[in-house]
DNA sequence: TTCCGACAGTGGGGTCGCAAT
DNA sequence: ATTGCGACCCCACTATCGGAA
């Protein structure tokens, strides 16, 4: 199969807004792909690469060569070249990559260049990724989509699952099992504004657990071999020796656990997320990193214990297996209750202890990996500030033509000016985008370039956020975490906006 | 007919390691 | 020595489609 076939299908998928039509286009292509090309086709058309990443990003794709007129590149040719690009290493590798990318693109037509460039930048923008591809695979192979999802949960890599479905149907999919040492797709959580609201949704007693502000880990143990994976199934075993040792010391020699790893301060309170993140990312001198910033771990689920797969069991039973096989100090603190007041108290305690909040979990739901099922619901406290819009950036994609991304400032009583604390594009409806674009253009004042419009600091906007972090990027030395717009405050003037001192007091 | 679950898109701040400058 | 880049860690929110109710 040729790359142009995929490029054409992708363009057709993008052109139709109806999901069923997208599924139709994708299924049609999957119907004519050869078995040995299926993984590549599924990966590309769901926005992924068989190589996962190849060290090429937007900067390497800035100026592409002239396109050719004849489309001849096959999927295998492109895939081989991407593998060779990925394999470059050491001094000179970056320019070697760039040369190879240029050569590759010089052999492609315009539509192929557009498709591959978007794919490599991780911006396919065809309105179809894994979720739609699952349905397309189901349609093309005549298999229920639930079977595809189940296999994806266990295998964690859709191209492999899709190729199996196309080649061997339901039987091939049912052959996928939880394999110790190979990560499964992690279960994710929805969110609610309060424990009370979360409990109402679950109806009946539920487990409420601390939400630890660290890095998600999935730990596999088979005999003496321990492997640790992140939420995106990256292998970080070498970076977290504490986890390897702790798991290696347990009596059970066959385990798959789900949990969180975090750096705690000496007083036992959590270090800022930045500290944990930096520690987990450290690869070159793990020993010294470990001495200065030791990691602790909290497990909250057991997917396999001593030969028994637990994914399909109710939450309460998996929890019992966890408690029976992992010492209490390694288990996330939890409370089982159906009383809202008890739950809210537990939540308040978690937050007072420095944690992110809680996750409310159904006692009945299976480990529904990869789907944001209603089984887990996270609850976090929300801070708000009234800040001033300093500038706005033009949006892209469906936000093209709208001023989208806001620069936010807090009032500085010392100077009478404003100190930028970060940006946000979240929480804006199309109506609000239209309104603010018009308003900002009327307020435009100061340096303006092709993507930023500076405005007179006159608009006050109420911003929700999760916390204040240390920042080397912004002049105040702090930045908001997960900032989003709640509403504009036309009733407020900039001199009534919150001050940098208020923000500083919130920094941990 | 209305409601709501699932998905994709649109970007946010931070860190590390490496190659280039 | 510093900077730019890629890859990841954490993520919230709205619009939309289409099946469920």
């Amino acid at each position: 199969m040729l790359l142009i076939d995929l490029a054409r299908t992708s363009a057709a998928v993008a052109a139709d807004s109806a999901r069923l039509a997208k599924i139709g286009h994708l299924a049609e292509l999957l119907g004519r792909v050869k078995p040995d090309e299926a993984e590549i086709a599924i990966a590309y058309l769901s926005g992924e690469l068989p190589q996962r990443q190849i060290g090429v990003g937007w900067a390497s794709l800035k100026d592409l060569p002239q396109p050719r007129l004849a489309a001849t590149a096959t999927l295998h040719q492109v895939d081989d070249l991407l593998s060779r690009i990925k394999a470059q290493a050491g001094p000179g590798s970056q320019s070697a990559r760039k040369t190879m990318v240029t050569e590759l693109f010089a052999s492609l037509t315009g539509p192929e260049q557009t498709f591959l460039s978007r794919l490599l930048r991780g911006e396919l923008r065809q309105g179809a990724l894994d979720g739609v591809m699952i349905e397309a695979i189901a349609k093309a192979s005549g298999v229920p989509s639930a079977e595809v999802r189940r296999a994806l949960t266990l295998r964690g890599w859709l191209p492999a699952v899709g190729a199996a479905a196309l080649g061997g149907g339901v039987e091939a999919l049912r052959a996928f099992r939880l394999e110790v040492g190979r990560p499964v797709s992690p279960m994710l959580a929805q969110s609610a504004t309060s424990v009370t609201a979360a409990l109402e949704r679950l109806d009946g007693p539920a487990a409420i657990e601390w939400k630890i502000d660290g890095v998600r880990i999935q730990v596999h143990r088979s005999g003496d071999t321990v492997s640790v994976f992140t939420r995106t199934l990256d292998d970080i075993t070498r970076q977290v020796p504490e986890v390897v040792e702790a798991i290696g010391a347990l009596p059970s020699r066959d385990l798959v656990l789900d949990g969180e790893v975090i750096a705690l301060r000496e007083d036992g309170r959590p270090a800022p997320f930045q500290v944990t993140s930096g520690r987990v990312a450290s690869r070159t001198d793990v020993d010294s990193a470990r001495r200065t910033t030791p990691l602790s771990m909290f497990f909250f689920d057991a997917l396999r214990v001593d030969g028994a797969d637990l994914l399909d069991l109710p939450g309460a039973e998996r929890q019992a297996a966890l408690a029976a096989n992992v010492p209490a100090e390694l288990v996330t603190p939890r409370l089982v209750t159906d009383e809202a007041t008890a739950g809210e108290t537990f939540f308040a305690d978690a937050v007072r202890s420095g944690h992110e909040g809680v996750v409310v979990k159904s006692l009945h739901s299976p480990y529904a990996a990869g789907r944001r099922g209603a089984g887990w619901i996270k609850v976090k406290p929300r801070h708000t500030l009234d800040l001033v819009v300093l500038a706005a950036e033009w949006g892209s994609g469906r936000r093209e033509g709208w001023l989208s991304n806001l620069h936010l400032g807090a009032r500085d009583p010392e100077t009478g000016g404003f100190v930028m604390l970060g940006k946000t594009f979240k929480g804006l409806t199309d109506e609000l985008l239209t309104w603010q674009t018009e308003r900002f253009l009327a307020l435009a004042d100061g340096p303006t370039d092709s993507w930023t419009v500076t405005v007179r600091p006159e608009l006050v906007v109420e911003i929700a956020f999760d916390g204040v972090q240390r920042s080397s990027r912004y002049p105040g030395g702090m930045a908001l975490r997960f900032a989003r717009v709640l509403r504009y405050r036309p009733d407020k003037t900039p001199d009534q906006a919150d001050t940098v001192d208020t923000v500083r007091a919130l920094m941990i």
Side-chain angles (χ1 to χ4, degrees), chain A residues 30-62:
Chain A
L30 294 182
R32 50 195 173 91
V33 75
K34 283 193 214 135
D36 69 333
E37 299 168 325
E39 284 207 25
I40 302 172
I42 293 168
Y44 287 7
L45 285 173
S46 55
E48 298 181 271
L49 296 176
Q51 295 82 3
R52 246 187 106 122
Q53 83 288 339
I54 60 167
V56 171
W58 63 273
S60 319
L61 298 164
K62 259 188 298 205

Side-chain angles (χ1 to χ4, degrees), chain A residues 92-271:
Chain A
S93 61
Q94 223 168 78
S95 54
R97 280 210 178 100
K98 179 115 199 201
T99 305
M100 295 168 81
V101 166
T102 303
E103 269 174 38
L104 169 57
F105 276 80
S107 74
L108 302 180
T109 63
E112 291 170 314
Q113 286 191 349
T114 302
F115 174 67
L116 193 62
S117 170
R118 288 183 170 200
L119 177 61
L120 293 180
R121 282 186 318 226
E123 295 176 349
L124 208 47
R125 298 189 196 195
Q126 58 177 18
L129 295 169
D130 267 18
V132 174
M133 181 57 86
I134 285 170
E135 300 296 332
I137 289 167
K139 181 169 185 181
S141 56
V143 159
S145 60
E147 294 279 352
V148 182
R149 286 181 191 283
R150 187 197 143 276
L152 176 60
T153 292
L154 296 167
R155 181 61 178 79
W157 175 238
L158 186 57
V161 170
L166 293 172
V170 177
E171 270 181 52
L173 290 180
R174 295 216 173 132
F176 286 107
R177 302 254 185 275
L178 191 162
E179 200 174 290
V180 180
R182 190 182 66 194
V184 305
S185 315
M187 182 160 174
L188 304 174
Q190 299 183 334
S191 52
T193 53
S194 70
V195 173
T196 306
L199 282 171
E200 271 168 22
R201 269 199 244 164
L202 291 181
D203 193 30
I208 308 179
E209 300 173 351
W210 282 3
K211 187 174 192 306
I212 308 284
D213 190 13
V215 171
R216 181 88 175 260
I217 51 168
Q218 187 180 128
V219 183
H220 291 234
R221 178 184 188 186
S222 175
D224 293 327
T225 306
V226 175
S227 308
V228 185
F229 304 95
T230 64
R231 194 170 91 96
T232 53
L233 312 187
D234 247 37
D235 189 329
I236 54 163
T237 307
R238 287 193 350 253
Q239 286 113 286
V240 291
E242 294 97 327
V243 176
V244 174
E245 288 162 19
I247 296 301
L250 298 181
S252 307
R253 298 177 61 75
D254 180 41
L255 278 176
V256 177
L257 304 176
D258 195 357
E260 196 89 6
V261 70
I262 185 173
L264 298 179
R265 306 190 317 199
E266 292 206 358
D267 62 3
R269 291 174 66 86

Side-chain angles (χ1 to χ4, degrees), chain A residues 55 71 77 130 152 171 187 232 240 298 308 336 338 361 393 484 488 499:
Chain A
Q77 284 167 350
D130 267 18
L152 176 60
E171 270 181 52
M187 182 160 174
T232 53
V240 291
F298 294 92
V336 175
D338 60 350
K361 298 181 175 178
E393 295 172 17
R484 60 267 192 191
Y488 276 93
T499 66

Side-chain angles (χ1 to χ4, degrees), chain A residues 438-476:
Chain A
E438 199 177 317
R439 199 77 183 79
F440 292 156
L441 290 176
L443 285 173
D445 182 28
T448 286
D449 55 39
S450 56
W451 68 85
T452 307
V453 174
T454 305
V455 299
R456 289 199 300 278
E458 293 181 8
L459 287 179
V460 179
V461 63
E462 187 177 8
I463 299 294
F465 61 101
D466 277 23
V468 181
Q469 339 175 59
R470 259 174 223 297
S471 171
S472 56
R473 176 181 314 211
Y474 292 111

Side-chain angles (χ1 to χ4, degrees), chain A residues 401-432:
Chain A
W402 277 323
L403 281 167
S404 169
N405 201 2
L406 309 180
H407 295 198
L408 305 168
R411 191 157 56 86
D412 185 351
E414 302 264 325
T415 66
F418 299 92
V419 178
M420 186 170 172
L421 292 174
K423 310 178 189 178
T424 187
F425 57 91
K426 294 172 182 164
L428 298 165
T429 60
D430 289 358
E431 194 186 354
L432 213 43

